[in-house]
């Protein structure tokens, strides 16, 4: 029990930000984070230290996010009235909100890579989580950062 609480304390914010980068929806990101930790709780006895616990948790979270995106693509939800979605995120700084919006517009794999990079996860670990080579991850991160920088400089004008 103590171990799970420590894991939860250590990783909750990181997993929430990862999910937020994926779905750009505060409530949905909280739900996905909760689902991730339910899975961690259920599967913790089976965890065999083949990777770091952080890599394992990020992989669970990434899979949950990918499943959520697949669901959304299969059953697109009706547009919420604009004032509702804006109201929900009023406590997030505008620049951070814009960053999440830009990340949400990236292809799925790029979303997870940059979200993990923003959590300061080592590139070798990111490669392990998403199943790409470390060299490929380096190139992708560079390109993603260039895309985001262009979007940000376009927004400032």
């Amino acid at each position: 029990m103590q171990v799970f609480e420590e894991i939860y304390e250590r990783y909750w914010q990181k997993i929430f930000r990862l999910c937020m980068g994926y779905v750009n929806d505060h409530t949905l990101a909280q739900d996905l984070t909760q689902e991730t930790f339910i899975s961690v709780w259920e599967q913790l006895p089976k965890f065999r230290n083949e990777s770091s616990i952080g890599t394992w948790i990020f992989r669970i979270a990434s899979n949950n996010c990918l499943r959520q995106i697949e669901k959304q693509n299969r059953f697109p939800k009706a547009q919420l009235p604009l004032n509702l979605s804006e109201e929900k995120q009023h406590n997030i700084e505008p620049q951070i909100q814009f960053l999440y919006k830009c990340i949400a517009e990236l292809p799925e794999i790029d979303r997870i890579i940059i979200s993990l990079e923003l959590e300061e996860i080592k590139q070798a670990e990111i490669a392990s989580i998403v199943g790409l080579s470390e060299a490929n991850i380096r190139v992708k991160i560079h390109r993603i950062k260039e895309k985001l920088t262009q979007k940000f400089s376009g927004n400032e004008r």
Side-chain angles (χ1 to χ4, degrees), residues 28-42:
L28 187 53
Q30 281 185 311
D31 290 349
L32 287 165
T33 303
Q34 209 60 44
E35 279 177 39
T36 297
F37 282 102
I38 289 169
S39 296
V40 168
W41 169 256
E42 291 170 348

Side-chain angles (χ1 to χ4, degrees), residues 64-82:
N64 282 344
C65 290
L66 286 171
R67 273 195 300 278
Q68 179 59 39
I69 289 165
E70 282 173 23
K71 258 190 261 177
Q72 284 176 332
N73 290 345
R74 260 182 289 160
F75 308 106
K77 60 182 182 216
Q79 277 298 103
L80 278 176
L82 282 176

Side-chain angles (χ1 to χ4, degrees), residues 55-117:
T55 301
W56 180 66
I57 294 168
F58 279 113
R59 194 174 298 133
I60 292 170
S62 303
N63 289 338
N64 282 344
C65 290
L66 286 171
R67 273 195 300 278
Q68 179 59 39
I69 289 165
E70 282 173 23
K71 258 190 261 177
Q72 284 176 332
N73 290 345
R74 260 182 289 160
F75 308 106
K77 60 182 182 216
Q79 277 298 103
L80 278 176
L82 282 176
N83 57 346
L84 281 182
S85 56
E86 284 171 18
E87 203 176 301
K88 247 190 335 196
Q89 296 185 348
H90 72 280
N91 59 344
I92 300 176
E93 289 176 43
Q95 278 193 312
I96 293 173
Q97 206 170 330
F98 182 68
L99 175 63
Y100 281 132
K101 181 183 173 295
C102 291
I103 290 172
E105 291 168 0
L106 294 169
E108 289 168 21
I109 193 76
D110 290 357
R111 274 187 245 173
I112 186 148
I113 291 169
I114 198 63
S115 297
L116 290 166
E117 172 74 3

Side-chain angles (χ1 to χ4, degrees), residues 113-155:
I113 291 169
I114 198 63
S115 297
L116 290 166
E117 172 74 3
L118 289 170
E119 287 305 319
E120 298 176 2
I121 304 300
K122 290 186 180 87
Q123 292 182 355
E125 222 174 310
I126 295 173
S128 165
I129 292 168
V130 298
L132 294 172
S133 73
E134 218 176 316
N136 199 340
I137 293 295
R138 270 194 300 279
V139 170
K140 280 187 163 292
I141 287 171
H142 179 73
R143 288 185 183 147
I144 295 165
K145 284 181 177 178
E146 279 181 345
K147 274 187 213 169
L148 292 174
T149 303
Q150 286 171 355
K151 286 182 184 226
F152 258 85
S153 56
N155 186 45

